[in-house]
Amino acid sequence: MSAAAETQAETAGAVPSLAVEGARATIRLNRPRHMNRIEPDDIPVLLRLLDTVDSTQPVRVLVLTGTGRAFSAGYHLGDLADQTEGGGSDAGVPSFEALTVRLEACRVPTICRLNGGVYGGSTDLALACDFRIGHTGIEMFMPAGRLGVHYYEAGMRRYVSRLGLNAAKRLFLTAERVDAAEMLRIGYLTELAPPEELDARVDALAERIAEMAPLAVQGMKRALDEIARGELDRVMLEARQAACGESEDLKEGLRAFREKRKPVFQGR
């Protein structure tokens, strides 16, 4: 098989995939030969998968990960170059920024399982998740300044709100490569694990979240993200608080506390 044919065959089977097991959903990037770079055609697929997660009520937590040695090399630079030379973007294809905004708005808490290095736009894709767990061999790199790319607003807001202004300036304005220990220190990683413990740490966090009261957890996730953006919708916040106050989950949580047992929440 020629190199072109091999690339075509790989691309045909390289779209992101979704697996649902009970309360946990997993979206996986499947282009390891190219370090799981995000192609333009991947964006509508990922948006549909996120819609599926949101509409599947038993799902209470989403894990986003990659296949192979990298989490993701970010948005395909070849496509970015074509857009620049052609003077425009791909007609009808949602932007990478739209994907990150949609991921941040996912109904359920999200965990990014950083199986390897995270580069370019995918550093923001991971930041759009609620938690990031990586292993000691990973690194991150934001090359926008080195490439002459002015980054989009939503991504810069996420960097500043999650990492602070100093760290955001350091990463955007110097294009410095940062190792796993430093990623943890600046708050990019929620948790750092030895490579052999990565899956166990991700599983433990996913299971813990799945055991929480979903109405309360999902409502607080939304409120916290709105507060971080300075866009808190107080009317909707009060409506969610009222719904939790009248929920069967609250009654179950209080019963379980009195009976010294683990609660079993139904999300209603």
Side-chain angles (χ1 to χ4, degrees):
M1 182 182 292
S2 68
E6 286 178 356
T7 300
Q8 184 176 5
E10 185 207 33
T11 302
V15 295
S17 61
L18 170 66
V20 176
E21 297 180 6
R24 172 174 168 171
T26 302
I27 291 178
R28 182 177 293 274
L29 305 178
N30 292 312
R31 194 170 283 107
R33 181 177 173 185
H34 298 291
M35 298 175 64
N36 296 319
R37 73 186 180 201
I38 307 295
E39 302 281 354
D41 290 344
D42 292 334
I43 294 178
V45 173
L46 286 164
L47 292 172
R48 287 195 297 271
L49 296 183
L50 289 168
D51 287 344
T52 299
V53 170
D54 275 358
S55 64
T56 306
Q57 287 304 312
V59 171
R60 297 185 183 181
V61 62
L62 168 65
V63 175
L64 173 66
T65 192
T67 302
R69 63 190 176 92
F71 168 67
S72 176
Y75 193 70
H76 184 21
L77 292 178
D79 181 72
L80 182 62
D82 291 343
Q83 290 180 28
T84 301
E85 292 171 4
S89 60
D90 294 304
V93 176
S95 67
F96 189 84
E97 180 177 14
L99 171 61
T100 62
V101 170
R102 178 65 183 85
L103 176 58
E104 182 180 80
C106 185
R107 173 180 63 87
V108 300
T110 51
I111 303 168
C112 187
R113 173 187 175 273
L114 288 164
N115 55 294
V118 52
Y119 309 100
S122 288
T123 63
D124 185 41
L125 195 67
L127 271 181
C129 292
D130 300 302
F131 304 92
R132 287 159 298 284
I133 301 180
H135 64 74
T136 51
I138 70 172
E139 65 174 7
M140 70 173 293
F141 174 44
M142 168 47 74
R146 181 177 292 181
L147 297 172
V149 173
H150 192 305
Y151 217 68
Y152 53 83
E153 179 182 353
M156 291 189 290
R157 283 182 178 272
R158 257 186 299 274
Y159 261 77
V160 172
S161 65
R162 283 150 176 75
L163 307 180
L165 181 59
N166 287 341
K169 284 184 175 180
R170 173 187 174 189
L171 294 167
F172 272 110
L173 306 185
T174 71
E176 179 184 353
R177 289 182 181 268
V178 175
D179 65 18
E182 186 66 1
M183 291 166 72
L184 180 67
R185 191 193 70 80
I186 65 175
Y188 188 89
L189 291 179
T190 311
E191 192 172 345
L192 180 61
E196 65 274 13
E197 295 181 16
L198 178 64
D199 286 334
R201 299 281 187 91
V202 171
D203 292 347
L205 179 57
E207 289 168 11
R208 184 176 183 86
I209 292 171
E211 291 174 350
M212 299 293 107
L215 292 179
V217 165
Q218 293 165 24
M220 290 188 292
K221 163 187 157 71
R222 181 169 177 177
L224 289 167
D225 282 338
E226 289 176 351
I227 290 168
R229 295 193 302 269
E231 300 172 353
L232 179 63
D233 186 330
R234 293 184 181 277
V235 173
M236 293 304 299
L237 170 62
E238 291 170 2
R240 293 193 298 270
Q241 288 174 324
C244 285
E246 299 171 357
S247 69
E248 291 299 318
D249 278 357
L250 177 58
K251 296 174 184 177
E252 165 62 10
L254 295 175
R255 278 196 303 267
F257 180 78
R258 289 193 301 268
E259 297 167 6
K260 295 181 174 57
R261 62 172 173 83
K262 182 181 293 187
V264 179
F265 296 112
Q266 302 299 322
R268 59 177 184 266

